[in-house]
Amino acid sequence: MTRLALVMIVKNEARCLARCLESVRGHVDRMIVLDTGSTDDTVAIAQRLGAEVHAFPWCDDFAAARNAALDHSDADWNLILDADEWLESGAAALGATTLPSLGGAPAAFLGCVHLVNAGRREEDPGQRILLPRLLPRGVRYQGRVHEQPDSGLPLHPLDIVVGHDGYVPDQLAAKRGRNEALLHAALEANPEDGAMWYQLGRELFAYDDIAGALDAMLHAYRFVAPDSIERLSVVIYTVLLLRLAKRHEEALALVDAEQDRWEHAPDFFFAVAELYLEWASLNLEIAQEELLPVVEAAWLKCLQIGERPGLAVTFEGSGSYRAAQNLANFYKVLGFADEAAHYAKLSGEMRAAARAA
């Protein structure tokens, strides 16, 4: 019986498949690739690197394809990756100490990795998402798009970082329209599915459709439960999109309604600071006394909380160097040279520490 297998679905991934397979093949017992109709060198690359390749006709259903791939695995644990992802660090957590052979015994958890999305531009912060990607034998997926494991097992974060460059401009252009169509189909079947509204909002925002993204995210805010894994991200995206749509009063009201729930989340306070800073620029008569103190307090709160990589979604630097740099810029504009110099120095130290980690 196999302890650990890599299980993938692919189509026309010659650009990046070798990178993915080479990053993990020394840490897994099998590599299983399900091809859904490639016309490039994807299959040849997979075979050259030692993967087993199986064919499956694409049916506009990611869960169906994932489950067909999993049907080829006899492993106790299945590592699920996409071709535009790669194992960046934490390979030790794939070992038998963390993921032991089950020998017929039930598993205790779904293993979560930290997926880091490369920014759309070089200067963008990386988005870190906690995702269940190590599935014990027998667990299958549900959902036509943005599929999720269908299991009641608890989620257990592992010290594994997976890189992802699927949101850089060239890759977004190649995928345009595919997920949006599937999300609309899913919402036609279940119009109160908050998680799908959230994913539709993110999809539209990736293509700079602010109005469409905001409409979807407001639906998500309505339907996603307060204790759901997506809730914090829904709140942050909704605040951002309301600000971008110049609907500042609604964004301020949403922040007031949500602020007591997110004392542990630097990204929430980062969004608050950006909102109040823009609102101050539009309301100079009350900026100095009423609005700018909120901006300052919010960025200081980010630093007080610190980085929280265990959150479901977070942006690198929200609790460290980006907040410190924004404080440095803030104090410089206000003419507080000593404070500006202090936070600029702190930001540089924090950024260096993050890169060294």
Side-chain angles (χ1 to χ4, degrees), residues 1-72:
M1 188 78 67
T2 306
R3 184 184 65 85
L4 175 62
L6 171 69
V7 179
M8 306 176 65
I9 60 172
V10 299
K11 182 178 180 180
N12 291 335
E13 300 289 2
R15 174 190 73 91
C16 53
L17 180 58
R19 177 185 60 187
C20 177
L21 295 176
E22 287 171 346
S23 75
V24 299
R25 64 174 174 169
H27 309 290
V28 299
D29 303 308
R30 294 177 65 191
M31 297 193 300
I32 299 168
V33 171
L34 189 80
D35 184 76
T36 62
S38 293
T39 56
D40 63 4
D41 291 335
T42 293
V43 170
I45 291 168
Q47 292 172 333
R48 174 171 58 81
L49 291 172
E52 308 166 26
V53 180
H54 304 273
F56 180 80
W58 178 243
C59 58
D60 285 340
D61 190 324
F62 278 93
R66 297 273 187 214
N67 293 337
L70 285 165
D71 286 344
H72 291 285

Side-chain angles (χ1 to χ4, degrees), residues 302-338:
C302 291
L303 294 178
Q304 177 189 342
I305 298 169
E307 294 290 278
R308 292 295 180 93
L311 292 176
V313 178
T314 188
F315 285 90
E316 181 185 298
S318 295
S320 60
Y321 64 84
R322 287 200 299 132
Q325 185 58 58
N326 283 355
L327 278 166
N329 298 339
F330 176 80
Y331 288 128
K332 183 177 180 180
V333 170
L334 293 179
F336 300 144
D338 290 345

Side-chain angles (χ1 to χ4, degrees), residues 100-294:
S101 297
L102 297 174
F109 61 83
L110 300 181
C112 293
V113 306
H114 301 268
L115 182 75
V116 177
N117 287 317
R120 293 169 64 190
R121 296 169 295 275
E122 186 176 347
E123 66 272 17
D124 287 348
Q127 184 187 42
R128 182 181 291 254
I129 306 176
L130 201 62
L131 292 176
R133 291 295 192 85
L134 281 147
L135 311 186
R137 186 190 320 113
V139 173
R140 293 295 185 267
Y141 279 91
Q142 63 176 354
R144 179 182 295 185
V145 61
H146 292 290
E147 63 284 2
Q148 295 295 320
D150 184 12
S151 171
L153 290 172
L155 304 181
H156 178 62
L158 300 173
D159 189 20
I160 297 172
V161 176
V162 171
H164 174 231
D165 66 359
Y167 289 134
V168 299
D170 288 349
Q171 302 314 307
L172 280 174
K175 299 175 183 177
R176 185 158 197 165
R178 182 196 65 184
N179 285 0
E180 183 181 346
L182 294 177
L183 286 162
H184 279 298
L187 286 166
E188 285 180 11
N190 185 2
E192 296 187 3
D193 188 333
M196 288 297 102
W197 280 113
Y198 163 64
Q199 295 294 353
L200 178 60
R202 288 187 60 206
E203 183 77 13
L204 295 173
F205 181 54
Y207 294 102
D208 297 318
D209 180 355
I210 303 302
L214 175 56
D215 179 70
M217 208 60 72
L218 288 170
H219 279 83
Y221 185 72
R222 176 184 176 188
F223 294 123
V224 166
D227 60 348
S228 72
I229 194 170
E230 298 96 353
R231 183 68 179 191
L232 172 59
S233 191
V234 168
V235 168
I236 292 169
Y237 271 107
T238 304
V239 171
L240 169 63
L241 288 163
L242 285 168
R243 177 170 68 82
L244 293 175
K246 307 303 180 186
R247 292 163 60 172
H248 297 91
E249 292 92 342
E250 293 172 71
L252 292 165
L254 191 151
V255 162
D256 287 344
E258 292 286 338
Q259 61 184 348
D260 292 340
R261 298 188 177 100
W262 309 113
E263 286 290 313
H264 62 294
D267 292 275
F268 174 78
F269 289 95
F270 203 98
V272 170
E274 291 184 320
L275 170 64
Y276 270 84
L277 186 62
E278 187 167 296
W279 190 234
S281 73
L282 300 171
N283 295 273
L284 297 178
E285 69 281 2
I286 61 171
Q288 191 73 28
E289 292 189 2
E290 297 183 26
L291 303 178
L292 294 182
V294 178

